[in-house]
Amino acid sequence: MSRARQPPLVTGISPNEGISWTKVTIRGENLGTGPTDLIGLTICGHNCLLTAEWMSASKIVCRVGQAKNDKGDIIVTTKSGGRGTSTVSFKLLKPEKIGILDQSAVWVDEMNYYDMRTDRNKGIPPLSLRPANPLGIEIDKGRFPQKDLEALFPGMSADFTSENFSAAWYLIENHSTTSFDQLKTAVVNLKKQANKKNEGSLAYVKGGLSTFFEAQDALSAIHQKLEADGTEKVEGSMTQKLENVLNRASNTADTLFQEVLGRKDKADSTRNALNVLQRFKFLFNLPLNIERNIQKGDYDVVINDYEKAKSLFGKTEVQVFKKYYAEVETRIEDLRELLLDKLLETPSTLHDQKRYIRYLSDLHAPGDPAWQCIGAQHQWILQLMHNCKESYVKEQKGKDIFCYNFFFPLSLGNPLLHSPMLDLDSDVRPSPIGHLSQTASLKRGSSFQAGRDDAWRYKAPQQVVFVEKLTKLVVSQLPNFWKLWISYVNGSLFSETAEKSGQMERSKKNARQRQNDFKKMIQEVMHSLVKLIRGALLPFSLREGESREYGGWEMKSELSGQWLTHVIQTVRLSSESLTALEIPNDMLQIIQDLILDLRVRCIMVTLQHTAEDIKRLAEKEDWVVDNEGLTSLPSQFEQCIIRSLQSLKTVLDCKPGEASVFQQQRTQEDVCQLSIGIMQVFIDCLEQLSTKPDGDIDTAHLSVDVSSPDLFGSIHEDSSLSPEQRLLIALSNCRYLERHTFLNIAEHFEKHGFQGVEKIIQVSMESLKELDQRLFEMYIEFKADPIVGSLEPGIYAGYFDWKDCLVPAG
């Protein structure tokens, strides 16, 4: 364990006497291990720790305060050694009053005094010295925050030398816990100080009376001596000399005082100018500080400084203040323009938009920046949508050129083949969800070009990719646009400063007046979305003047039902996302109308493609008969229709808010006619197979792949069937269709909500019965011809008139 340190011992002080605020050097032993170890220093009973500067363990420099005793010890207290002792003492001298013309060997330097409010030392001129404790009692700092005091006493100060001095602020800050008795003592001290000032001014007068009396006595003596001489000549000469002496003395005194007073006026004016610069340096430095903070992006600091300057100097009449405040206004106007430009920049986040609107409202920007931002965002969204369309239209044309050059590179040699626009691996390729399953393999025996066509067939069409991109763009941008409007309506875009100034109420009033304008903006976005999709998928539904703006696609072939189903699902998801924003349903009704039209179109296209697929079933007849005397053709026909109806299930089902596809009479009629057409196509296939030879089968409607010779191998494999056998098989198929297949198909139609099923089946049944009757008659004719040929000569041999015979019956 270490040995305890010795208590401090003061062995010397230099100088050992002086007035208050005299700088002294204290020497001794064990005066502390450092500045933090020194915790107490008193000279003549006055605490001098605030001005103490620890130099070493044997040396401390400080200033003597206003001690209570004229002579006393120097006591040092440290943490390590405790309270010390002193072998020397210091004598406090009363300051002598120095006249304006008296010489003085004392140099009064600019000392540091302790500022209780800021808890730090400041340097002030000697003429501005003030006591650290004007009340003469112990200072007890309170815990009141400085900001609360500034808010409680606006425009006031706790500095007792200030013009805006507030006694209440000073007492709360420095004597919040002082007892009432101590405050009484402080009142007595203040009265004593006031009396001392009065006595001091009287002392100057009293001190000058002796000189005045001596001069009066000398003049009286001279006057008496002149009277004793009795000589008028002497009297005249002496009086003249005395007057000359007095005049010279007066002139010398005037010259002396004028020089001193001139220097004093000049010093006072300089000091006043420095005080003004020091006191109002906030305003003088504000223009430069605003520029620096704008460059750093500290807009909050700029706004706070501007509000402070506006409250202090906004209505000033001082020309210097006016000039600097005008500079501040110029820079603030530049800041308003900068913030407005940033607000109207696109793209930008909702957070940044709200932040810039708050800044502009705090800066009292003219107009309505929030509404300007809403208008800019609206135009930007519309522009994005049209740019999206233009880029995909160009991409489609680029793909067409690439495809053409891909198949004929040598004959054309087109340089566009290597154009960067045609890079299929770019970001504009169809998304994975936009592709159909590429599981089809090349058919045996098909040509190389046909394989290329198959590969291209399973690529997503540009219209489908465009709809995906367009809906994603709207769904990603419209929520922020809608939230910005909601914030504008409820006033959450503005700060507390704007709320106090009434700006929020004005904004809410403007929002109520502009509800119709914003509704038109949303409707314009919805109309553009719907028309762009119609231009890509349903161009025939646009008016003549809208085709150029919203269309422009090359419609070489209509989209299949699978692609239309995918598009419908995409648009449905977008509608659900927009509904979640609580956008009124009347604004989204146009999207529901689009979905209905797409669903109807998808049903029509699917039924048309189904009819084409059924027409191809004629080439798939293998004439293999099962135990019931049927071929696979009726089953293939039924399965084809079932697959088609299953593919339409999601289209036929109604989502929340959607109407039934069959609500319109025209749609019901069209679907009914297409369904009847599908049934009639298969009936025609049966008639074609039963009446025409193999070589006469109509394949003009088939593509190269379907009509390739390999596909008809099964037909030519069994060429031993006679016409009578084919008619019997066809009649058996007709009977099965009548009793089973058509009834099953009717059930599936009703299950999927088709209207007019009875009409579809009735018309189909009639057509089928007519075919059955024709085929039966043809079969009877085939069988009867040989018999008739053998009997006919004998019938007419006896020239018998058969007209008179009864017609056989039964």
Side-chain angles (χ1 to χ4, degrees):
M1 186 173 180
S2 60
R3 183 173 58 87
R5 292 183 176 274
Q6 297 296 325
L9 175 63
V10 177
T11 58
I13 183 171
S14 176
N16 58 3
E17 62 179 11
I19 63 174
S20 298
W21 296 101
T22 299
K23 188 174 183 180
V24 297
T25 301
I26 300 172
R27 299 188 180 276
E29 301 174 358
N30 303 321
L31 300 184
T33 60
T36 58
D37 191 38
L38 181 64
I39 61 175
L41 174 60
T42 58
I43 299 177
C44 298
H46 185 269
N47 187 5
C48 302
L49 182 62
L50 295 177
T51 61
E53 183 180 0
W54 186 88
M55 308 299 290
S56 65
S58 59
K59 179 179 177 182
I60 296 175
V61 177
C62 71
R63 290 187 180 274
V64 180
Q66 295 180 348
K68 299 178 181 179
N69 304 320
D70 292 343
K71 190 174 183 179
D73 296 333
I74 300 94
I75 305 301
V76 178
T77 305
T78 61
K79 293 181 181 179
S80 58
R83 182 181 175 86
T85 57
S86 173
T87 60
V88 295
S89 60
F90 183 82
K91 183 178 180 181
L92 184 66
L93 304 177
K94 293 183 179 180
E96 297 180 358
K97 293 182 175 60
I98 302 175
I100 195 169
L101 296 179
D102 294 340
Q103 295 182 350
S104 172
V106 179
W107 174 260
V108 184
D109 59 347
E110 293 185 359
M111 66 189 87
N112 289 332
Y113 73 96
Y114 185 75
D115 191 339
M116 294 177 292
R117 294 187 300 107
T118 59
D119 195 24
R120 61 185 182 182
N121 294 333
K122 288 185 176 181
I124 61 172
L127 295 178
S128 302
L129 288 177
R130 58 183 180 179
N133 188 0
L135 298 182
I137 59 178
E138 184 177 358
I139 295 176
D140 187 2
K141 290 282 187 179
R143 297 182 179 179
F144 291 93
Q146 192 71 17
K147 293 183 178 179
D148 294 347
L149 292 174
E150 292 177 356
L152 190 59
F153 302 99
M156 306 304 288
S157 173
D159 184 3
F160 47 79
T161 63
S162 174
E163 297 178 357
N164 300 326
F165 172 67
S166 173
W169 186 349
Y170 179 83
L171 291 176
I172 292 174
E173 184 177 7
N174 300 292
H175 299 286
S176 59
T177 59
T178 305
S179 63
F180 187 69
D181 294 336
Q182 289 179 327
L183 291 176
K184 287 182 178 180
T185 305
V187 173
V188 174
N189 294 338
L190 288 175
K191 290 181 178 179
K192 289 181 179 180
Q193 292 179 14
N195 293 334
K196 285 182 179 179
K197 289 182 179 180
N198 294 333
E199 291 176 358
S201 58
L202 292 174
Y204 286 112
V205 178
K206 293 178 181 179
L209 286 176
S210 59
T211 304
F212 175 75
F213 289 141
E214 290 177 359
Q216 184 67 25
D217 294 341
L219 290 175
S220 299
I222 293 173
H223 183 67
Q224 290 176 359
K225 184 176 182 180
L226 292 174
E227 288 182 350
D229 291 344
T231 307
E232 186 176 345
K233 182 178 179 181
V234 174
E235 181 179 1
S237 61
M238 290 300 294
T239 301
Q240 187 65 31
K241 289 181 180 179
L242 181 60
E243 290 178 356
N244 293 336
V245 171
L246 291 177
N247 288 334
R248 286 197 299 272
S250 176
N251 294 334
T252 303
D254 290 342
T255 304
L256 216 59
F257 273 97
Q258 286 177 358
E259 183 180 355
V260 173
L261 293 176
R263 289 199 301 270
K264 179 180 179 300
D265 293 338
K266 185 177 180 180
D268 288 342
S269 63
T270 303
R271 190 177 300 109
N272 291 335
L274 293 175
N275 288 337
V276 169
L277 290 175
Q278 181 68 20
R279 183 176 178 183
F280 301 104
K281 65 179 180 180
F282 164 74
L283 176 63
F284 299 143
N285 296 333
L286 187 56
L288 182 59
N289 291 337
I290 288 176
E291 290 185 358
R292 291 176 178 174
N293 290 325
I294 289 176
Q295 293 177 357
K296 293 188 295 184
D298 294 337
Y299 303 121
D300 292 310
V301 178
V302 175
I303 292 172
N304 291 335
D305 291 345
Y306 173 64
E307 289 294 335
K308 183 178 179 181
K310 186 175 181 181
S311 61
L312 295 176
F313 306 101
K315 298 180 180 179
T316 183
E317 297 296 334
V318 181
Q319 294 299 325
V320 176
F321 295 163
K322 279 186 175 182
K323 180 179 179 181
Y324 275 88
Y325 185 73
E327 288 290 331
V328 172
E329 286 288 357
T330 301
R331 283 161 175 78
I332 292 298
E333 184 61 31
D334 295 339
L335 176 60
R336 291 191 188 105
E337 295 178 0
L338 174 64
L339 292 176
L340 185 60
D341 292 340
K342 288 182 174 291
L343 175 63
L344 301 181
E345 280 182 0
T346 53
S348 61
T349 63
L350 181 63
H351 173 72
D352 289 339
Q353 291 170 357
K354 290 183 175 181
R355 187 162 58 96
Y356 292 135
I357 289 172
R358 287 196 184 98
Y359 290 153
L360 289 169
S361 65
D362 290 341
L363 292 174
H364 308 285
D368 194 347
W371 180 251
Q372 290 179 274
C373 179
I374 291 174
Q377 287 297 308
H378 169 245
Q379 293 299 327
W380 182 64
I381 293 175
L382 293 178
Q383 188 62 40
L384 279 181
M385 296 167 66
H386 285 280
N387 290 345
C388 180
K389 189 264 294 187
E390 294 297 334
S391 64
Y392 276 97
V393 169
K394 292 180 180 179
E395 183 71 16
Q396 183 192 41
K397 295 178 181 179
K399 277 191 174 183
D400 292 341
I401 297 175
F402 178 81
C403 181
Y404 188 77
N405 287 324
F406 185 79
F407 296 126
F408 307 102
L410 298 177
S411 60
L412 296 180
N414 197 323
L416 291 176
L417 177 63
H418 305 287
S419 173
M421 287 179 56
L422 309 177
D423 185 7
L424 298 180
D425 295 329
S426 62
D427 295 337
V428 296
R429 291 188 64 184
S431 62
I433 63 173
H435 288 282
L436 293 175
S437 176
Q438 300 185 14
T439 58
S441 59
L442 294 177
K443 293 181 174 62
R444 181 174 55 88
S446 60
S447 64
F448 178 75
Q449 183 176 348
R452 300 282 186 179
D453 290 339
D454 287 338
W456 278 103
R457 187 181 304 149
Y458 291 99
K459 295 291 184 181
Q462 285 296 99
Q463 292 95 319
V464 177
V465 184
F466 161 69
V467 172
E468 285 187 358
K469 183 69 174 180
L470 181 67
T471 53
K472 182 179 179 181
L473 185 151
V474 174
V475 170
S476 63
Q477 295 298 330
L478 202 61
N480 287 342
F481 183 60
W482 181 260
K483 292 175 183 177
L484 180 64
W485 164 255
I486 297 300
S487 301
Y488 179 63
V489 172
N490 59 28
S492 60
L493 291 176
F494 306 98
S495 61
E496 296 179 358
T497 304
E499 184 176 2
K500 293 178 181 179
S501 63
Q503 191 170 356
M504 184 181 298
E505 292 299 325
R506 293 194 297 271
S507 176
K508 289 182 178 180
K509 182 178 179 181
N510 293 337
R512 289 190 294 269
Q513 295 175 351
R514 289 168 174 161
Q515 284 183 351
N516 291 332
D517 294 337
F518 181 76
K519 185 177 181 180
K520 291 179 181 178
M521 289 182 180
I522 294 293
Q523 289 175 343
E524 187 175 358
V525 173
M526 295 295 104
H527 279 280
S528 296
L529 172 64
V530 170
K531 289 180 180 179
L532 287 171
I533 295 177
R534 288 183 181 274
L537 305 177
L538 307 172
F540 53 83
S541 63
L542 294 177
R543 292 194 295 268
E544 295 181 1
E546 296 173 342
S547 300
R548 178 176 299 178
E549 182 178 0
Y550 299 103
W553 299 87
E554 294 184 2
M555 296 295 181
K556 293 186 177 180
S557 61
E558 191 170 13
L559 293 181
S560 65
Q562 292 174 319
W563 286 122
L564 287 174
T565 303
H566 174 72
V567 169
I568 291 170
Q569 186 67 13
T570 301
V571 179
R572 277 175 169 172
L573 293 175
S574 303
S575 178
E576 293 175 2
S577 301
L578 297 178
T579 305
L581 293 177
E582 299 181 356
I583 297 178
N585 292 330
D586 58 340
M587 297 185 184
L588 301 179
Q589 183 59 40
I590 187 174
I591 298 182
Q592 296 299 330
D593 296 340
L594 170 66
I595 294 176
L596 180 61
D597 291 346
L598 288 174
R599 291 166 64 198
V600 171
R601 189 60 190 167
C602 181
I603 293 173
M604 299 298 180
V605 171
T606 302
L607 293 178
Q608 291 172 2
H609 289 179
T610 303
E612 295 176 3
D613 294 338
I614 290 174
K615 193 172 185 179
R616 295 189 183 98
L617 291 179
E619 287 79 27
K620 297 181 180 180
E621 178 61 270
D622 53 5
W623 300 104
V624 177
V625 181
D626 58 9
N627 294 331
E628 297 180 0
L630 304 173
T631 64
S632 62
L633 201 61
S635 176
Q636 293 179 12
F637 168 63
E638 183 178 352
Q639 292 300 320
C640 185
I641 292 182
I642 292 175
R643 286 195 301 269
S644 176
L645 294 178
Q646 288 177 345
S647 68
L648 291 175
K649 187 177 185 308
T650 57
V651 178
L652 293 171
D653 293 342
C654 295
K655 298 293 182 180
E658 293 182 358
S660 173
V661 180
F662 301 107
Q663 68 176 357
Q664 296 180 357
Q665 185 67 28
R666 181 178 178 181
T667 303
Q668 296 179 15
E669 295 176 356
D670 292 343
V671 172
C672 183
Q673 291 299 324
L674 285 173
S675 301
I676 294 174
I678 291 174
M679 310 292 276
Q680 187 63 44
V681 165
F682 185 69
I683 294 173
D684 294 341
C685 287
L686 290 177
E687 184 176 7
Q688 182 182 6
L689 287 171
S690 59
T691 58
K692 292 185 179 181
D694 296 339
D696 296 337
I697 296 177
D698 183 14
T699 59
H701 62 281
L702 300 176
S703 63
V704 177
D705 293 335
V706 177
S707 61
S708 59
D710 291 344
L711 292 178
F712 298 96
S714 60
I715 299 176
H716 296 281
E717 285 176 359
D718 187 7
S719 60
S720 61
L721 289 178
S722 63
E724 294 87 351
Q725 290 175 328
R726 293 195 181 199
L727 287 174
L728 283 176
I729 295 174
L731 286 171
S732 179
N733 287 339
C734 288
R735 181 59 58 91
Y736 186 81
L737 289 172
E738 181 182 352
R739 294 182 179 181
H740 299 284
T741 304
F742 278 11
L743 298 179
N744 294 339
I745 291 174
E747 292 180 0
H748 285 288
F749 278 149
E750 292 178 351
K751 179 181 176 180
H752 288 83
F754 275 58
Q755 302 295 320
V757 178
E758 295 180 357
K759 180 180 179 182
I760 297 173
I761 299 302
Q762 180 183 356
V763 175
S764 302
M765 284 291 190
E766 292 176 357
S767 180
L768 183 64
K769 289 179 180 179
E770 291 177 0
L771 174 63
D772 181 81
Q773 183 66 29
R774 290 196 302 272
L775 295 180
F776 182 73
E777 291 176 356
M778 291 175 63
Y779 179 76
I780 294 298
E781 185 178 354
F782 272 117
K783 290 296 184 182
D785 279 347
I787 299 174
V788 171
S790 61
L791 294 178
E792 189 175 8
I795 292 175
Y796 296 101
Y799 302 99
F800 185 79
D801 191 0
W802 291 98
K803 293 186 293 182
D804 298 333
C805 297
L806 297 176
V807 179

